[in-house]
Structure formats: C-alpha cells, structure tokens
C-alpha cells in the first residue's frame, strides 16, 4: 500500500479512518490510485491481458486438437472396445414411476381410470417418436421388406398399424380391458455398429425354448429367419401357470433390416409389443423376456440380453 520509502523510516502521521481510506483511494502526494501509480496500473493490466489471452489461446488450441479426434456421428470406441460392449440389453416400457427407481413392477387396477392413465400416458410418450410427424428426418424413412436392408443412409419405418391391436393408443394399450392383460413394449438397446448373427437350424442352443427352435427350423432359408427373436416366460412354475397366452406384435422379434444402428438420421429402434392376453388377476407374475441371436449372451445379473419385470393386474 502507501508505505513511503524514504531513506529514514519516519512514522506515518496518524490519520483518522476516513482520511486514511480516502488517501488510499487517491493519494495526491504520490499520484497513487488504490495504492498504485498510473503506470503501475497500466503495466499490471497489460500483464493480465496478455496472460489471459495466452490462456484462452492455449485452451482453444487444446480443445481444437481434442475435437479433431472426435466424430459427431460415430463413437470413438466401438463394440468390444467400448464400455457398453457388444452385448445389447433389453428394455421395457412403460416404466414404473420415478419415485421408485428400483422397481420393475407394473401394477394397476384395470377399472380405475386414473390408475390406468399413468401407464397409458407413459407409453404414449414413449411412442411419440414412432409417429413420422415427430421424426426430425421424415424423408429418410423407408418401408422395408422383411430381411431387406434399406437404401444406404436411410432407415426402416416402425409402423404401429392396426395389426398391433390392441397395443395401440386408441385401444388404451388394453390396460383398461376388464378381462384381458396389458401390452408391454420391448426395445433392444442401441449399440453402434452391432450386427446380429442369426440362428439357423445348425446352431440352435440347448437353452432355447422348443417352440422357438421349431419356428426357426420351419423358417430355414427364408428372410423371416433374419430376426433377433424374443421370448417371454414366467420365471417360476406358478408364474408359468399364471401368465396365460402371449402374443407379439408385429412379430416375436426384431427384424434384421433395422441393424446395424449407425446413428443414421431419423433412426427408429424396432419394437416388440408383448400382449398378455389373459394373465391371472390379483397375483404377482414374474416375467423374463430374452432376446435371441448367436451373439447375444444372457446374463441376468448384468441385465444383458434379457429383461425382468413383474406384472400385477387387479
Ligand atoms: C379403453 O380405452 C380406450 C381409449 O380410451 C377405448 O377406446 C377402449 O374402448 C377402452 N377399452 C375398454 C375395454 O373399455
Ligand atoms: C448357419 O449359421 C452358421 C453360423 O453360426 C453359418 O456358418 C452357416 O453358414 C449358416 N447356415 C446356413 C444354412 O445359413
């Protein structure tokens, strides 16, 4: 501050509080403002200007170098190199309320409108993206044939048409049905560049349900076999008894033409709607759904290749 440098140190005159402050603000004797002379202020400002300019330049240069190594459309680490790996998980919708993050229980009273509404709205929100009008790239969407890939750069449509009945908004996804069960939608997690390896009658695993093995054998050599198959089953003997008949829309699996996901503009994940025709009422049913391809391994703990949820309809 304003310590006077004289050859002999002389005690500064005693000043009042206000006086010493105003001297600090502007010292007319030495022409110091806040304890520094004009040229001192100029030097210090110049120093900081150069210092920060250099800092900004360095930071910008590093950021530029970093961005050179990234691709906005494609992850840097792919499949097995990446943390998410090459074994896709299965997910289900509707999800239970956020207040219960750990919960996988879908429980409702089919005759309670407000209760049912939550699940229906949850599904409608999830399915919004499947409406072409909400897709940011509607021009990129093609109608694909089973097993036939779209034009490069285009994506296959997922059409929720009347074949999905009653798993449609206009049918309330069947949650309000007085006797039938709900529709639950399954989705395979997107993994960039993942190609499913399809089953044929030479490579069926022993743990695959017989009805699916028979189906794959009967479709040998047809494009319908280019499918990531889906099965859903009760987990325990009681669950198997209570689960009742199940239908899958549009098919019991995700068709091959939707793969691989390469972040194409407008890409829509394929869906499978699982319609529980007549689950037992008033009991909790444990359900496990699995996705089947040669390169999907099932691991219940890691939640890979399969999904578990509970259903209770009152
Ligand atoms: C369920 O709700 C939908 C739409 O709100 C309605 O169209 C349908 O008829 C209802 N179903 C039953 C069984 O009440
Ligand atoms: C069946 O799949 C295997 C791969 O597991 C493949 O090598 C073989 O060519 C396939 N067979 C037919 C008839 O497509």
């Amino acid at each position: 501050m304003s310590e006077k440098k004289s050859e002999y140190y002389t005690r500064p005159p005693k000043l009042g509080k206000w006086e010493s402050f105003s001297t600090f603000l502007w010292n007319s004797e030495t022409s110091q403002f806040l304890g520094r002379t004009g040229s001192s202020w100029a030097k210090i400002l110049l120093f900081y200007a150069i210092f920060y300019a250099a800092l900004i330049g360095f930071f910008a240069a590093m950021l530029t170098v970093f961005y050179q190594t990234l691709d906005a459309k494609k992850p840097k680490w792919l499949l097995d190199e990446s943390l998410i790996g090459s074994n896709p998980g299965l997910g289900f919708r509707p999800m239970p309320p956020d207040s219960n993050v750990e919960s996988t229980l879908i429980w409702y009273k089919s005759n309670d409108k407000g209760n049912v509404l939550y699940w229906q709205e949850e599904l409608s929100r999830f399915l919004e993206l499947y409406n072409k009008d909400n897709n940011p790239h509607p021009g990129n969407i093609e109608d694909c044939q089973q097993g036939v890939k779209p034009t490069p750069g285009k994506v296959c449509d997922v059409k929720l048409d009347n074949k999905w009945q009653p798993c449609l908004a206009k049918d309330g996804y069947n949650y309000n049905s007085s006797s039938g069960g709900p529709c639950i939608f399954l989705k395979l997690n997107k993994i960039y560049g993942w190609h499913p390896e399809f089953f044929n009658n030479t490579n069926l695993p022993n743990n695959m349900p017989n009805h699916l093995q028979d189906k794959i054998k009967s479709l040998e050599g047809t494009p319908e076999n280019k499918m990531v198959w889906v099965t859903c089953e009760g987990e325990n003997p009681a669950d198997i008894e209570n689960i009742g008949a199940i239908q899958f829309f549009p098919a019991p699996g995700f068709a091959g033409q939707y793969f691989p996901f390469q972040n194409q503009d407008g890409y829509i994940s394929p869906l499978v709607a699982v319609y529980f025709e007549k689950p037992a009422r008033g009991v909790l049913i444990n359900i496990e759904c699995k996705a089947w391809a040669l390169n999907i391994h099932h691991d219940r703990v890691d939640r890979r290749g399969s999904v578990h949820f509970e259903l209770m309809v009152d």
Side-chain angles (χ1 to χ4, degrees):
M1 299 231 210
S2 66
E3 269 177 32
K4 267 192 246 166
K5 293 230 168 76
S6 50
E7 273 175 78
Y8 304 104
Y9 180 76
T10 54
R11 211 181 149 180
K14 275 224 157 139
L15 299 170
K17 263 190 195 151
W18 170 245
E19 268 181 320
S20 76
F21 179 68
S22 67
T23 319
F24 166 66
L25 269 187
W26 176 245
N27 189 334
S28 51
E29 243 171 79
T30 55
S31 307
Q32 285 177 328
F33 170 68
L34 294 176
R36 279 181 194 283
T37 59
S39 73
S40 171
W41 275 116
K43 277 184 209 156
I44 208 161
L45 287 178
L46 184 67
F47 169 77
Y48 276 108
I50 293 169
F51 177 70
Y52 282 117
L55 214 55
I56 289 166
F58 181 71
F59 181 74
M62 286 297 137
L63 207 62
T64 316
V65 169
F66 174 65
Y67 272 119
Q68 298 289 299
T69 69
L70 294 181
D71 183 330
K73 293 220 61 158
K74 185 179 170 187
K76 187 169 168 64
W77 304 104
L78 292 176
L79 301 171
D80 288 324
E81 292 177 321
S82 72
L83 275 177
I84 52 172
S86 58
N87 200 10
L90 259 187
F92 72 93
R93 294 288 188 287
M95 301 259 264
D98 286 341
S99 58
N100 206 344
V101 183
E102 290 284 296
S103 172
T104 50
L105 171 63
I106 297 175
W107 175 21
Y108 64 90
K109 296 184 182 70
S110 60
N111 59 4
D112 178 338
K113 270 202 176 140
N115 196 244
V116 158
L117 196 64
Y118 166 80
W119 303 99
Q120 291 170 335
E121 282 183 343
E122 196 66 17
L123 272 180
S124 291
R125 199 169 327 131
F126 169 63
L127 295 173
E128 257 171 29
L129 288 173
Y130 290 82
N131 183 343
K132 236 180 189 172
D133 299 336
N134 295 330
N135 193 306
H137 303 278
N140 237 9
I141 302 174
E142 279 185 354
D143 291 333
C144 297
Q145 297 287 316
Q146 167 70 37
V148 182
K149 299 238 148 113
T151 324
K154 305 270 178 171
V155 301
C156 290
D157 199 5
V158 177
K159 266 212 190 93
L160 304 177
D161 56 19
N162 279 336
K163 279 182 233 139
W164 295 59
Q165 251 167 342
C167 297
L168 295 171
K170 66 181 163 79
D171 306 308
Y173 309 104
N174 219 42
Y175 281 69
N176 52 345
S177 157
S178 54
S179 59
C183 292
I184 291 170
F185 287 75
L186 301 180
K187 175 176 167 276
L188 205 60
N189 292 348
K190 287 185 287 193
I191 294 185
Y192 189 99
W194 182 77
H195 289 262
E197 287 167 28
F198 302 116
F199 284 115
N200 60 41
N201 60 9
T202 65
N203 54 22
L204 298 174
N206 293 330
N207 64 343
M208 181 186 272
N210 286 329
H211 67 87
L212 184 53
Q213 300 204 17
D214 294 344
K215 180 159 193 152
I216 293 171
K217 284 179 195 157
S218 73
L219 293 174
E220 182 65 22
T222 68
E224 275 81 55
N225 240 358
K226 291 188 175 159
M227 189 77 108
V228 176
W229 298 100
V230 166
T231 57
C232 289
E233 278 169 348
E235 283 183 5
N236 307 305
D239 300 321
I240 293 169
E241 206 164 286
N242 290 331
I243 198 170
I246 298 176
Q247 289 187 47
F248 297 95
F249 304 116
F254 305 101
Q257 66 267 26
Y258 293 97
F259 305 97
F261 164 68
Q262 285 173 318
N263 207 11
Q264 301 93 327
D265 287 334
Y267 181 85
I268 359 184
S269 292
L271 292 178
V272 172
V274 186
Y275 167 40
F276 295 89
E277 279 184 55
K278 214 168 173 27
R281 296 237 157 181
V283 286
L284 188 122
I285 308 170
N286 291 289
I287 298 162
E288 185 176 44
C289 294
K290 285 183 177 167
W292 296 90
L294 212 48
N295 54 348
I296 296 181
H297 306 282
H298 300 126
D299 186 326
R300 204 181 276 189
V301 179
D302 279 355
R303 301 185 187 187
R304 290 189 302 180
S306 67
V307 67
H308 161 97
F309 53 86
E310 304 97 42
L311 178 63
M312 184 154 157
V313 188
D314 277 339

